Amino acid sequence: MHPVAQLTTAIGENVLLTGKCIRELFRPPFEWRLTFTQLELSGIDSWSITFLTAIFTGMVLAMQFAIGLEPFGASMYTGKLVSLGIVRELGPVLTALLVGGRVGSGYTAEIGSMNVTEQVDAIRALGADPVRKLVLPRMVTMVIALPLLTTMADLVGCFGGAFITMYEVDVTFRFVYEQMTETIEIHDLMHGIMKSVFFGYFIAIIGCWNGLKTAGGTEGVGIATTRTVVYISITILVSDFILTRLFLAIYG
């Protein structure tokens, strides 16, 4: 199949899967137990990788800015640049890439294994909807969990950046804190949080879609899992550009 036709087909199938999820979302009863289980597995268990990524990203970013701006006498503005870069871009994007690789591949492997062993067909045979049982709880979970993880990444990243700024620029924590709070406004926070809502949706829908399409036994599960990581990474990076342009037009 031609790549353009393949991409069009994939987008269409994901849109249809999204429509089914939205339909099931408003049909009681809601699968609370499955959603809370996924929230623990996908959200809470991802805090450590988010924490480590955010703090070292903030530290490296502060070090680069402090050294790079020193010849221009502008190293005092390191805190402003670090906080703005993390909150608007690096916090949501890096969190989505790492959590997407971890969680999205897990969704594909789990649902794909169920698909090749005919457990998904068994769910249908019992009169249940696989979308309601497998896809919807995961999509709701990621739409909720990723903004929370992104918020944590923003705080931790700014703290790491402030620590290195104090050391490299020789300023007090109060000075860096005031710089960061003066720079970051509510619309900057909304940039990152709203992006992470979309990123969470992309991670869940792509991971589940690839899982439901898996075929070919265990080898097919491995191929689908690899494909999921690639698709999620590309989708996040492309959508980040589009969402950034959109939010800048809205909020400035």
Side-chain angles (χ1 to χ4, degrees), residues 196-240:
S196 62
V197 171
F198 285 96
F199 293 161
Y201 157 73
F202 292 139
I203 290 169
I205 205 71
I206 292 174
C208 294
W209 168 71
N210 265 319
L212 292 172
K213 285 180 61 66
T214 301
T218 55
E219 181 180 359
V221 173
I223 294 173
T225 302
T226 303
R227 186 169 58 230
T228 292
V229 175
V230 175
Y231 284 2
I232 287 175
S233 300
I234 293 174
T235 302
I236 288 172
L237 294 174
V238 172
S239 63
D240 176 54

Side-chain angles (χ1 to χ4, degrees), residues 38-46 99 102-103 107 141-142:
Q38 289 300 322
L39 188 60
E40 179 181 0
L41 295 174
S42 304
I44 297 176
D45 289 353
S46 297
V99 174
R102 177 186 180 274
V103 175
Y107 287 170
T141 292
M142 288 309 301

Side-chain angles (χ1 to χ4, degrees), residues 81-95:
L81 296 174
V82 169
S83 60
L84 198 60
I86 288 177
V87 169
R88 279 201 174 194
E89 285 297 323
L90 293 179
V93 173
L94 291 180
T95 300

Side-chain angles (χ1 to χ4, degrees), residues 50 86-97 99-100 138-154 188-204 232 236 239-240 243-244 247:
T50 303
I86 288 177
V87 169
R88 279 201 174 194
E89 285 297 323
L90 293 179
V93 173
L94 291 180
T95 300
L97 288 173
V99 174
R138 288 167 171 81
M139 189 175 74
V140 172
T141 292
M142 288 309 301
V143 169
I144 295 173
L146 200 62
L148 297 177
L149 291 171
T150 298
T151 302
M152 185 189 74
D154 292 342
D188 297 316
L189 292 172
M190 291 305 298
H191 271 230
I193 299 302
M194 290 304 297
K195 282 182 183 179
S196 62
V197 171
F198 285 96
F199 293 161
Y201 157 73
F202 292 139
I203 290 169
I232 287 175
I236 288 172
S239 63
D240 176 54
L243 292 171
T244 299
F247 293 149

Side-chain angles (χ1 to χ4, degrees), residues 63-87:
M63 187 182 302
Q64 293 283 8
F65 277 130
I67 296 174
L69 294 174
E70 186 176 4
F72 307 98
S75 57
M76 301 293 286
Y77 300 103
T78 298
K80 291 178 175 288
L81 296 174
V82 169
S83 60
L84 198 60
I86 288 177
V87 169

Side-chain angles (χ1 to χ4, degrees), residues 10 23 82 92 143 147 160 167 176 178 181 183 186 207:
R23 182 191 64 192
V82 169
V143 169
Y167 176 78
V176 181
E178 290 178 351
T181 53
T183 302
I186 187 64

Side-chain angles (χ1 to χ4, degrees), residues 2 7 29 38 48 51 117 122 127 164-165 171 199 203 218 225 234:
H2 193 275
L7 177 62
Q38 289 300 322
S48 58
F51 182 93
T117 56
I164 295 298
T165 301
V171 294
F199 293 161
I203 290 169
T218 55
T225 302
I234 293 174

